[in-house]
Amino acid sequence: MRALFVTSEAVPLIKTGGLADVSGALPGALREIGIDCRMLLPGYPQVLAAVTDLTPVAELTGLPRGFTAQLLQGTSPKSGTPLYVLDAPAAYQRPGGPYQDLHGQDHPDNAWRFALLSKAAAILASPASPLEWRPEVLHCNDWQSGLAPAYLNFMGAAVPSLMTVHNLAYQGIFPPDMLHDLDLPAWCFDVEGVEYYGNLSFLKAGLFYADRLTTVSPSYAQEIQHEPLGMGMQGLLATRKDRLTGILNGIDAAEWNPSSDLFLNAEYSQRAPSGKKKCKRALQKEMGLTEKADAPLFGLIARMTHQKGLDLVLSVADGLIARGAQLVMLGTGDKAIEHAVRDMALRYPGQAACFIGYDEALSHRIEAGSDLFLMPSRFEPCGLNQMYSLRYGAVPIVHATGGLRDTVREGVTGFVFAEPTAHSLWLAVERALTRYADATAWKAMMRAGMAEDFSWEHSAKGYAALYREALERR
Ligand code: ADP
Ligand code: GLC
C-alpha cells in the first residue's frame, strides 16, 4: 500500500512542537510494517539545507494564484523516509519559522502558503499528478494540510483521505474573501463545506471532506465531541464520530533512550539507574541550582501557551520551594508567560531556574536530571513530554486530560489530578513529595514508568488498519 503523508514540520528538519516528532517517526514506522509511506513537506530553507540529495522530479502547475512550483525528491536524513519537497521560494524561503517571522508574528500570507501545500498534495493523489508514484491514501495533518481533502474532493477524489488532528486549538481561520484566491469554488462556502462561523477554516475543511478522521489519543477523540474541548467543531465531530478514531502517539525510542542519549552526562537504564544521579547533579550545575542530591527536582518543558497551564505551576511554586524542592523550566512562547517564569526564577536563586528559548539538548538533560516532571496542561491531545519523562525516570504529574490521562497511571507510574486548578495540582504535588520521601517506593514507581512501552509500532498498525478500511470502503 502506498500513502502520502503531508505535514508542515518534521524532525530532524524543522520543528515547533509535537507534530514534528510524529512526522519524524510515524512514516518510518509505517514503512517498517510494509507501507510505502512518503512525506510531502514545504521547501523551507531549513529543509532545503538539511536534505542533501534533493533533485527536481516534476513541475507542479495549477496551484492557487496560478502558481507553478518545483517538486523535489530526496530522503529524510535519519529515518531514510522518501521525501517530496514543494519548492516555492516566494512562499517558503524567508527568515523565521514555518508559521511566524523572526518577531513571532504569523506570516501574513499563511493562507496561501498552506493552500499551496494542500493543493500540491491533492494533485499528487489525483490522476493529474506528474509523478509515476501515486498514493492510494492521502494522510493530512492539522490545519496546514486541511484543505487537501477539499481540493481532492473537488478534483473528483481519486483516493481516500485521512485527516489527523494534533491540536484542535489551531484551526487555520481566514476571511471568507480569500476563497477565490485559494481556488475554492464559491459553493463550498457553506456549513456543509469549508465555512466556519462566517469565516473559512482549513481545519474544518479537512474534518468535513476527509474520509477518515483521527486524533492522537483515545481520550481526546472523546473529549472533542463535546464542549469545551471541541472548540466549536464538536457538532461536526459528533456527527462524524463513526469515522473518528483516537490513536495514541508513540515516541522515538532511539532518540529518547537514556542508555544511549548523547546529550546526557551519564547513561542509565531501568536495570542500571545510577547514572541518573550524575545527570541530576550535572543539571543542577548547568542551571545554577544548589547541588543537593536529595532535593526533589521538578522539570518542565513546554511551549509557553495558555494550553500548557504554566500559570498553575507558578501558583504552586512558592509552596514547592518552601518544601525544599527545586524547579527547572524550559520553553518559549507568549511573552507574558515568559516574563512570569523568569520573575519566579529570579526570586529563588539556587532553587529555581529557567531557560527561555528552544534547546533540544537541554530538553534531554532536563528529562534525565529531574526526579519529577510537571505537565498540568488544560488540554493535551496526546503530549509527548510525559512519555519521555516516564522513559527517563522523571515521574510525571499530569492533569487528567487527553493523552495525559491515557499514558500516566495514578500512583503507579505518576500522579494524575482531576481539575486544572492550582489546588488540584498542589494536592498531586503533595502526594508526589510524600512518595518521594520513601526511597523504596519511589524507585518502584520510577521503574514502573521506565518499563512502559510507547513504541511507534503499535500506532503504525492502527493507522495501517484505517488506511485499509478507507480503501475498502471506496
Ligand atoms: P506540543 O506539540 O503541544 O508542543 P508535545 O508534548 O506533543 O506538545 O511536544 C512538544 C515537543 O516539543 C517535545 O518534543 C518537547 O520536548 C519539545 N519542546 C517544546 N518546547 C521546547 C523547548 N523550548 N526546547 C526544546 N524542546 C522543546
Ligand atoms: C500537538 C498537541 C500534542 C501532541 C502533538 C503531536 O501539538 O498539542 O498534545 O502530542 O500535537 O501529536
Side-chain angles (χ1 to χ4, degrees):
M1 168 146 23
R2 298 178 302 275
L4 183 63
F5 187 93
V6 195
T7 181
S8 55
E9 48 181 284
V11 292
L13 306 170
I14 181 142
K15 166 167 170 175
T16 69
L19 171 61
D21 298 63
V22 173
S23 304
L26 176 56
L30 284 163
R31 293 184 69 79
E32 284 197 358
I33 57 169
I35 294 191
D36 179 4
C37 181
R38 304 188 182 187
M39 183 151 64
L40 175 67
L41 263 173
Y44 312 116
Q46 296 89 335
V47 171
L48 299 180
V51 187
T52 49
D53 63 346
L54 285 174
T55 42
V57 285
E59 195 175 75
L60 284 186
T61 55
L63 298 171
R65 289 189 193 157
F67 210 73
T68 298
Q70 288 288 324
L71 192 70
L72 314 176
Q73 188 172 2
T75 336
S76 188
K78 272 192 180 157
S79 62
T81 301
L83 280 184
Y84 293 111
V85 173
L86 186 63
D87 187 21
Y92 306 126
Q93 290 229 29
R94 54 180 79 172
Y99 321 122
Q100 297 181 332
D101 64 18
L102 291 171
H103 309 289
Q105 297 297 318
D106 284 355
H107 295 302
D109 51 354
N110 272 347
W112 174 66
R113 296 172 71 236
F114 293 106
L116 279 189
L117 177 68
S118 299
K119 185 74 186 279
I123 293 173
L124 294 180
S126 76
S129 172
L131 294 183
E132 222 167 87
W133 185 87
R134 190 86 48 80
E136 295 168 276
V137 178
L138 183 62
H139 187 163
C140 305
N141 294 279
D142 277 353
W143 74 265
Q144 292 87 349
S145 46
L147 280 188
Y151 286 129
L152 191 60
N153 211 278
F154 306 153
M155 292 163 81
V159 303
S161 56
L162 195 117
M163 180 80 221
T164 298
V165 179
H166 296 265
N167 195 334
L168 208 57
Y170 301 97
Q171 305 184 331
I173 295 180
F174 301 99
D177 59 11
M178 298 218 61
L179 218 61
H180 178 71
D181 206 30
L182 302 183
D183 273 0
L184 291 166
W187 52 261
C188 78
F189 192 70
D190 191 84
V191 190
E192 307 266 303
V194 306
E195 188 268 352
Y196 179 70
Y197 294 105
N199 281 310
L200 157 64
S201 161
F202 280 37
L203 183 65
K204 155 82 192 289
L207 297 179
F208 184 80
Y209 287 105
D211 293 79
R212 287 277 166 173
L213 309 178
T214 74
T215 186
V216 288
S217 69
S219 284
Y220 194 59
Q222 294 301 321
E223 290 164 356
I224 58 178
Q225 294 176 36
H226 311 278
E227 284 193 67
L229 296 190
M231 299 188 174
M233 305 282 180
Q234 61 274 1
L236 173 58
L237 289 164
T239 48
R240 300 206 67 197
K241 67 170 183 239
D242 58 326
R243 299 298 178 90
L244 170 65
T245 315
I247 301 179
L248 194 68
N249 286 333
I251 61 173
D252 188 326
E255 194 72 20
W256 292 93
N257 182 354
S259 65
S260 60
D261 188 329
L262 296 177
F263 292 125
L264 306 189
N265 304 79
E267 291 163 359
Y268 63 95
S269 65
Q270 191 199 346
R271 288 221 186 105
S274 67
K276 188 165 171 79
K277 291 202 183 85
K278 282 192 200 138
C279 292
K280 178 172 175 179
R281 201 177 322 122
L283 179 65
Q284 288 171 322
K285 190 164 183 192
E286 176 176 2
M287 300 303 292
L289 298 175
T290 316
E291 289 174 49
K292 269 184 80 184
D294 60 352
L297 176 49
F298 288 74
L300 183 152
I301 304 161
R303 286 183 299 112
M304 294 192 168
T305 62
H306 184 68
Q307 174 192 349
K308 302 293 177 179
L310 281 102
D311 49 316
L312 305 181
V313 174
L314 294 176
S315 305
V316 302
D318 293 346
L320 273 180
I321 303 294
R323 296 280 297 260
Q326 298 183 336
L327 184 54
V328 172
M329 300 169 86
L330 164 65
T332 170
D334 294 356
K335 296 298 161 219
I337 304 179
E338 291 182 354
H339 282 302
V341 166
R342 223 184 247 125
D343 283 352
M344 187 276 297
L346 285 173
R347 278 209 314 276
Y348 298 112
Q351 285 184 281
C354 69
F355 180 79
I356 303 297
Y358 192 91
D359 188 332
E360 194 188 339
L362 180 58
S363 76
H364 285 243
R365 289 197 289 272
I366 291 178
E367 296 287 8
S370 300
D371 298 301
L372 302 108
F373 192 87
L374 293 167
M375 207 150 164
S377 312
R378 292 194 161 76
F379 65 94
E380 197 61 82
C382 178
L384 298 169
N385 277 311
Q386 82 282 12
M387 293 193 267
Y388 301 149
S389 301
L390 288 167
R391 192 119 205 266
Y392 279 63
V395 172
I397 300 181
V398 303
H399 173 214
T401 185
L404 299 176
R405 178 205 290 275
D406 294 341
T407 51
V408 180
R409 294 185 281 150
E410 164 66 32
V412 181
T413 60
F415 298 92
V416 185
F417 58 96
E419 297 298 325
T421 61
H423 179 66
S424 192
L425 166 61
W426 178 249
L427 295 180
V429 163
E430 285 199 314
R431 292 201 295 283
L433 288 175
T434 306
R435 184 75 62 98
Y436 182 79
D438 177 346
T440 314
W442 191 255
K443 264 188 210 137
M445 191 167 218
M446 274 174 57
R447 289 227 174 91
M450 292 177 85
E452 296 279 16
D453 178 13
F454 296 114
S455 63
W456 269 108
E457 198 192 330
H458 185 71
S459 324
K461 284 183 181 152
Y463 284 103
L466 281 187
Y467 290 175
R468 252 173 245 121
E469 256 182 62
L471 258 178
E472 277 161 18
R473 254 193 127 97
R474 285 267 159 151

